[in-house]
Amino acid sequence: MGLDAPVDPEVAACVERAVHRLADAGAIVEEADPVWPEGAGENGLMPLQFAGLAALYGERFRAAPELFDPDIGQQIDAGLRTSGAEVARALHLREEAYRALAALFTRYDLLVCPTTPVTAWPFDRLGPATIDGRPVTPRGHAVFTPLFNHCYAPACSVPCGLTESGGLPVGLQIAGPRLSDAAVLRLAAAVEATYGYTQPMP
């Protein structure tokens, strides 16, 4: 995905097998990464999430912080401290990211990647401490999903197998250009059909 994000090797292997299944079924598959603007990863766009949560729930959080999950509370609190300039910078970055993804979709119909770069972690943790031996932030598991939200791109996740070591499920994320929801769903149905999860859509 052009983000230099670590991916668990077993997740990568499951996704690669799914891509080979698509190629065997007749899809034309090429490897490509979006060329994101500098800073388009997690930190650059997080002010929008923080400020959005603060706008929605800030007053309630100030009145009764004990009612909120501690992680969400920290994000709301960060949003209450986020400046207008930080939000403006993040909005400009989102526009650049949107154009970068749109440029990719002038050459390709759809994009597939892991939904998450790691399988399930212990339930008492917000996220894994490391992925493929590299330290990650508490949101390191969500590195591949937010950019599609920010870029108004339809995306969905379909199961694409289980890891060999622990039998844990892996998701394949399918994304397309804005308003290509039907094409995304058609490819999702094709993936499901290759695994026998469902009958293909007409």
Side-chain angles (χ1 to χ4, degrees):
M1 281 285 289
L3 296 169
D4 190 33
V7 177
D8 182 274
E10 287 197 282
V11 170
C14 275
V15 169
E16 189 171 350
R17 285 193 293 271
V19 169
H20 285 307
R21 282 174 177 256
L22 287 172
D24 291 342
I28 299 170
V29 178
E30 295 181 22
E31 190 169 335
D33 289 321
V35 181
W36 302 110
E38 186 176 349
E42 179 183 2
N43 292 334
L45 294 167
M46 281 306 284
L48 297 177
Q49 177 166 320
F50 295 156
L53 286 169
L56 290 170
Y57 307 112
E59 293 306 315
R60 278 179 272 181
F61 175 73
R62 283 185 175 125
E66 71 279 0
L67 297 179
F68 289 80
D69 174 90
D71 178 55
I72 297 297
Q74 288 178 358
Q75 294 186 52
I76 295 170
D77 187 57
L80 292 170
R81 293 181 282 105
T82 298
S83 71
E86 289 173 302
V87 171
R89 278 193 294 272
L91 285 171
H92 288 301
L93 183 59
R94 181 169 70 179
E95 290 173 9
E96 292 178 25
Y98 175 86
R99 287 193 291 271
L101 189 61
L104 180 86
F105 287 131
T106 63
R107 303 190 307 275
Y108 302 99
D109 298 314
L110 298 166
L111 175 66
V112 297
C113 66
T115 304
T116 60
V118 67
T119 55
W121 53 91
F123 72 92
D124 59 347
R125 301 179 191 168
L126 287 175
T130 63
I131 298 175
D132 192 26
R134 287 171 55 185
V136 294
T137 68
R139 289 188 52 80
H141 62 281
V143 66
F144 295 139
T145 53
L147 276 164
F148 297 122
N149 296 333
H150 284 294
C151 294
Y152 309 104
C156 73
S157 177
V158 290
C160 68
L162 305 173
T163 59
E164 292 184 6
S165 63
L168 293 172
V170 174
L172 178 75
Q173 183 169 218
I174 302 164
R178 191 173 186 183
L179 304 178
S180 67
D181 304 58
V184 169
L185 291 172
R186 280 195 298 271
L187 186 60
V191 172
E192 289 180 330
T194 68
Y195 282 89
Y197 296 141
T198 186
Q199 295 299 313
M201 293 174 65

